Amino acid sequence: MSIKSQSFRARTIANRIYLDHAATTPLHPAAHAAMEEGLAHWANPSSPHAEGRRARRLLEDARERVKKALGWDGEVIFTSGASEAAALALGHAKAGARLVSTVEHDCILQASPQAEQLPVLGNGAVDHENLAEAVRRERPLVAAQHINSETGNRQDLAAIAAITHSEGGLLLADCAQSAGKFDLPPCDMAIVSAHKFGGPIGSGALLVKDYAMLEPSGGQERGYRRGTENMPAALGVAAALEACADGYLAPDVLEPLDALAGECRRIGGTWLSDRLADPTRYIRAIAMPAMSATAQVMRFDMAGIAVSQGSACSSGTMKTSRVLEAMALDPAIAANTIRVSFGWNTTRAEVERFCAVWLELADA
């Protein structure tokens, strides 16, 4: 073992750096304060007494604040997160066939196991010609991730919406990784996951242009969801989104990555953003030459930095990403690819430290 390698074991973990925000991001202080307010006035929003009516007012105020923060002119159904929102949309949308891309999140694929899977190109973009052929068969519901949770690639949802709508279909946009950071794409329904932008875990929403697009499925949330509404969490969602409006991350925080990208290319690594159709800022996939992703994740952890191998739903298996396989990435490169992702509290010093450790590992 080299001296550099030994130094990783000697480092303290007292001041760890968290760079796995695509999995979950810390609760924003504004969301924490809003939830405390909700808990102080907690009652069942469906109850007719004064306490219930007050809770209902707070819940409906949160709903309107979410609409305003996201620029959404349709309806908002609060859910327990992205998985429930996906199940509601894919299970109850008034549409024909379900079409999903091969790079969708597991919650989409599991919510509609019989859905036809649409291929993507090598740059991660949905094959539009294949989609156009598929939507002609019957009025479908097409599910597409706005920003991929493993690569950071952004789908051209305006083009996908146009193709889908040309045959009378509906578009479900998975905005779990983009809500609060980017404008919502054109769509009929959208999935929002609060813990991806500083809101409380176990909360989210399904945005719907019109309730008529869904079959009712419960007694709460206008009859489209079962279970007592979580008013404190809804307040946290609204507050976190409003905090995002001031800027999710300062522009200069991620500047050190530009130099790292150049070094990565120089030593024969793969900066996956180079091949993506539309790479975005907050999620980067990077392949280090001559070191597996599994080893990298462990070595970064020893150095006090949390990164991941693929999405959180599958990274525990330490298997090669099916998203990278769908993009036909060279298996040797895919096996060496890690994901590093950034959030509202990431600092430039943390990004600089990540870059320094990456280079140390690559040179070990």
Side-chain angles (χ1 to χ4, degrees):
M1 182 182 296
S2 70
I3 294 175
K4 285 185 178 179
S5 297
Q6 292 173 8
S7 68
F8 286 108
R9 289 188 174 179
R11 287 177 183 145
T12 178
I13 63 170
N15 297 310
R16 288 185 59 82
I17 295 172
Y18 182 77
L19 298 179
D20 194 19
H21 292 264
T24 191
T25 199
L27 186 68
H28 195 284
H32 188 280
M35 292 177 70
E36 285 189 330
E37 177 191 359
L39 291 168
H41 299 289
W42 171 245
N44 191 323
S46 296
S47 297
H49 46 60
E51 290 81 0
R53 295 196 302 274
R54 180 184 178 88
R56 171 61 62 180
R57 286 195 297 273
L58 289 170
L59 178 68
E60 296 309 319
D61 179 62
R63 198 185 312 275
E64 292 305 313
R65 289 164 60 193
V66 166
K67 290 181 185 180
K68 182 177 180 181
L70 291 173
W72 182 252
D73 59 3
E75 309 295 344
V76 172
I77 301 171
F78 285 117
T79 68
S80 61
S83 293
E84 184 189 356
L88 279 175
L90 287 159
H92 299 278
K94 295 178 181 177
R98 271 48 173 165
L99 307 177
V100 305
S101 86
T102 53
V103 296
E104 296 306 306
H105 190 275
D106 284 348
C107 76
I108 296 291
L109 302 182
Q110 292 166 3
S112 187
Q114 305 304 317
E116 178 181 348
Q117 294 191 20
L118 305 171
V120 297
L121 305 175
N123 60 9
V126 170
D127 185 332
H128 292 178
E129 290 185 8
N130 185 280
L131 172 64
E133 180 180 348
V135 298
R136 293 192 190 102
R137 298 176 198 144
E138 59 179 306
R139 182 174 175 267
L141 173 68
V142 176
Q145 203 172 43
H146 189 199
I147 294 177
N148 187 269
S149 59
E150 296 188 33
T151 66
N153 186 60
R154 176 167 39 197
Q155 292 289 349
D156 184 353
L157 289 193
I160 291 174
I163 294 169
T164 302
H165 292 156
S166 69
E167 299 295 332
L170 300 176
L171 175 61
L172 168 65
D174 179 0
C175 297
Q177 296 292 345
S178 61
K181 306 164 195 174
F182 300 91
D183 291 340
L184 290 177
C187 59
D188 302 292
M189 291 178 271
I191 293 168
V192 174
S193 179
H195 74 106
K196 306 295 188 180
F197 53 76
I201 196 166
S203 59
L206 176 64
L207 312 183
V208 188
K209 280 291 184 185
D210 191 322
Y211 284 130
M213 294 176 174
L214 287 176
E215 294 286 353
S217 58
Q220 282 74 34
E221 289 296 281
R222 311 304 203 273
Y224 291 89
R225 179 182 186 263
R226 295 184 178 90
T228 301
E229 295 101 333
N230 190 342
M231 178 269 285
L235 290 175
V237 174
L241 283 171
E242 289 166 348
C244 290
D246 296 329
Y248 189 68
L249 198 59
D252 67 329
V253 169
L254 301 181
E255 284 181 355
L257 294 174
D258 295 336
L260 179 63
E263 286 299 300
C264 175
R265 299 179 191 111
R266 184 183 66 80
I267 66 173
T270 300
W271 195 260
L272 200 66
S273 294
D274 291 341
R275 65 175 286 167
L276 298 178
D278 187 7
T280 52
R281 301 180 67 210
Y282 304 115
I283 300 173
R284 306 296 177 96
I286 312 167
M288 182 183 294
M291 186 179 292
S292 72
T294 301
Q296 289 178 63
V297 170
M298 292 189 290
R299 297 287 289 280
F300 271 108
D301 194 44
M302 292 166 64
I305 303 175
V307 298
S308 68
Q309 179 181 358
S311 71
C313 297
S314 59
S315 61
T317 65
M318 296 298 186
K319 294 180 180 178
T320 301
S321 161
R322 61 171 177 76
V323 169
L324 301 183
E325 290 179 348
M327 292 171 58
L329 189 67
D330 184 316
I333 295 175
N336 290 3
T337 299
I338 63 166
R339 178 187 71 180
V340 56
S341 49
F342 312 95
W344 63 268
N345 63 344
T346 301
T347 67
R348 183 183 176 107
E350 290 175 335
V351 177
E352 290 173 343
R353 176 67 182 146
F354 165 77
C355 294
V357 173
W358 194 96
L359 290 170
E360 286 185 46
L361 286 175
D363 190 42

